[in-house]
Amino acid sequence: MKKIRLVVASLVLALFTLAIQSNLSYANAKEPSEPIIEIIKPEDPEEFIKEMGWEKPTPNAKLDHIVRIRPSDNGAAHNQQKIDEDLTAKALGYSIKVTRQSSSCGVQPKARVSGTGNIDGNLVLSQTVEVSNSFSSNTSVSAEVVTASVGFDVTEKKSKTAQYTVNTNGKNYQIVAYDDFDRFEFDVYLFGAKTGTGVASKQVGFCYAAYQI
């Protein structure tokens, strides 16, 4: 009788332990983060287009709105990688100090679609394009050193899908996708002496401009 009770107790303990482990695994699982979405309605669309350096799809096109879509965890990944890799640059005698961080939309279109949309009036842009990070400097600092200091691969290229939908209400629209960049302006030091400046750009998403044409 005692043996039966011990077996039952062992089974109950095993099931209880399994339940705890399952709950812990569920609790530790990361939910996919929601993207950051910013909607822009310029007061002066024509001036906004000039400031961005964009070209209108047609001479009479009217910019209706802009939507920026980017991941919400982009900054955290940058900071962690910077901590891990910053020693590489210092070992080579270089020290790069980020002086300003900002974000901006690119100038060259990456994807576009035109029309009045489907039967529901929805015009859908969905195109896979190649995007890339980049850097420039007025010094001879290498891409490896900049990568180690800013915390992301400044030479990385990859494919992303530009995807956005506009309800046209039966009117003729064009959706244009531009790169969305995080920009890091920096000073370059070699063995403590400042030798120049530069800027590194990380492609983090897309800016979608909706034009009525």
Side-chain angles (χ1 to χ4, degrees):
M1 191 67 172
K2 289 183 178 180
K3 289 184 178 180
I4 294 174
R5 288 177 180 174
L6 287 173
V7 170
V8 172
S10 298
L11 286 172
V12 171
L13 180 61
L15 290 172
F16 181 70
T17 303
L18 181 61
I20 291 176
Q21 290 175 342
S22 298
N23 287 335
L24 285 174
S25 298
Y26 179 79
N28 291 331
K30 291 185 177 179
E31 293 292 332
S33 56
E34 293 293 327
I36 297 173
I37 300 175
E38 179 186 2
I39 301 173
I40 304 170
K41 294 277 289 187
E43 292 183 4
D44 188 340
E46 294 296 322
E47 185 62 27
F48 185 89
I49 291 171
K50 290 180 182 178
E51 290 178 358
M52 298 303 296
W54 295 346
E55 290 187 8
K56 296 197 295 184
T58 63
N60 296 323
K62 296 180 180 179
L63 179 61
D64 184 75
H65 66 272
I66 305 96
V67 172
R68 300 177 70 179
I69 303 177
R70 53 171 47 210
S72 60
D73 57 352
N74 185 57
H78 162 76
N79 291 336
Q80 183 58 51
Q81 191 172 0
K82 184 181 186 304
I83 292 171
D84 294 340
E85 297 182 347
D86 192 45
L87 291 177
T88 303
K90 291 181 179 178
L92 296 173
Y94 282 95
S95 175
I96 289 180
K97 179 181 179 181
V98 175
T99 57
R100 184 172 181 266
Q101 182 176 345
S102 60
S103 63
S104 64
C105 299
V107 175
Q108 299 300 322
K110 301 296 293 187
R112 66 174 77 217
V113 66
S114 301
T116 56
N118 56 25
I119 193 171
D120 296 321
N122 291 325
L123 178 64
V124 180
L125 170 67
S126 183
Q127 297 178 24
T128 300
V129 297
E130 184 178 88
V131 300
S132 60
N133 302 333
S134 64
F135 89 100
S136 62
S137 175
N138 56 9
T139 71
S140 58
V141 64
S142 68
E144 290 78 12
V145 169
V146 177
T147 291
S149 296
V150 298
F152 62 90
D153 185 353
V154 296
T155 64
E156 182 182 28
K157 295 182 179 181
K158 57 186 175 182
S159 295
K160 283 187 178 181
T161 300
Q163 191 164 8
Y164 184 62
T165 300
V166 169
N167 191 295
T168 67
N169 292 316
K171 298 176 181 178
N172 200 19
Y173 268 75
Q174 182 170 126
I175 304 171
V176 184
Y178 302 90
D179 287 307
D180 194 352
F181 291 111
D182 275 346
R183 290 168 49 86
F184 301 85
E185 298 176 29
F186 56 83
D187 291 338
V188 182
Y189 296 84
L190 182 59
F191 297 110
K194 183 177 176 180
T195 59
T197 60
V199 59
S201 298
K202 182 178 183 180
Q203 208 280 359
V204 295
F206 293 99
C207 301
Y208 300 98
Y211 294 90
Q212 186 178 337
I213 58 176

